[in-house]
């Protein structure tokens, strides 16, 4: 399995999550035994009473981030940060998939201030708060949002399709939700320090 490179990677956002396109899968994801970072396993959108299992994705065809072929699951991009660790942590999910409404359809109806919880494989939970919700044409998402590496801001980024499908069934735009960690709510059994500012 490929190791995480220290060089920042600029990667495309969530692949098309359409009603007709099966999209990419997680086959490019590396072996988790190769990394010591905490692995996110479940995400909760408390205001919407929705939750989704998180699986690991790597880089799929076309050099874009992979996604999970399931409307009720999310994909954590292995080459980014783990949520709450230094750098951009990126999780994608479907707005709609195979004629079924996806869990990440809640994003476009979310509001700043709402909470997002993430459970990790090591048994602890981290808490995040939505700071902003924006939509972009897929090719126009700012690079600083989808760039990974420890020289990027420490934040959680959630991505899904907007649902403005073209004649091929592809969604032309993406909903991008940026969250900050509510560090005061880290559980006592999560002993990792809060990442500080990255030094130049």
């Amino acid at each position: 399995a490929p190791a995480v490179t220290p060089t920042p990677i600029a990667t495309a956002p969530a692949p098309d999550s359409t009603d007709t396109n099966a999209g990419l899968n997680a086959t490019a994801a590396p072996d988790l035994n190769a990394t010591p970072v905490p692995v996110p396993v479940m995400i909760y959108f408390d205001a919407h009473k929705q939750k989704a299992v998180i699986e690991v994705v790597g880089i799929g065809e076309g050099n874009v981030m992979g996604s999970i072929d399931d409307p009720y699951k999310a994909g954590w991009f292995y080459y980014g940060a783990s949520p709450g660790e230094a750098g951009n942590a990126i999780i994608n999910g479907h707005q709609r998939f195979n004629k079924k409404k996806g869990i990440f359809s809640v994003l476009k109806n979310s509001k700043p201030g709402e909470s997002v919880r993430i459970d990790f494989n090591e048994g602890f939970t981290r808490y995040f708060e939505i700071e902003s919700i924006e939509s972009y044409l897929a090719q126009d998402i700012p690079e600083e949002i989808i760039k990974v590496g420890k020289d990027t801001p420490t934040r959680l980024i959630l991505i899904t399709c907007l649902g403005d499908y073209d004649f091929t069934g592809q969604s032309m735009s993406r909903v991008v939700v940026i969250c900050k960690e509510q560090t005061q709510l880290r559980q006592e059994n999560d002993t990792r320090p809060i990442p500080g500012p990255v030094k130049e």
Side-chain angles (χ1 to χ4, degrees), residues 7 14 21 49 59 78 102 150 154 160 185 190:
T7 304
N21 187 339
K49 297 181 172 58
I59 300 173
Y78 172 88
K150 290 189 177 180
T154 298
T160 193
L185 295 179
D190 179 5

Side-chain angles (χ1 to χ4, degrees), residues 9-14 65 77 88 90 138 141-148 155 157 159 176:
I9 301 170
T11 181
M65 178 169 55
F77 188 53
N88 279 335
I90 306 174
I141 295 179
E143 182 181 350
E144 64 267 19
I145 290 177
I146 53 177
K147 182 179 180 182
V148 298
R155 57 190 179 181
I157 297 174
I159 302 178
V176 177

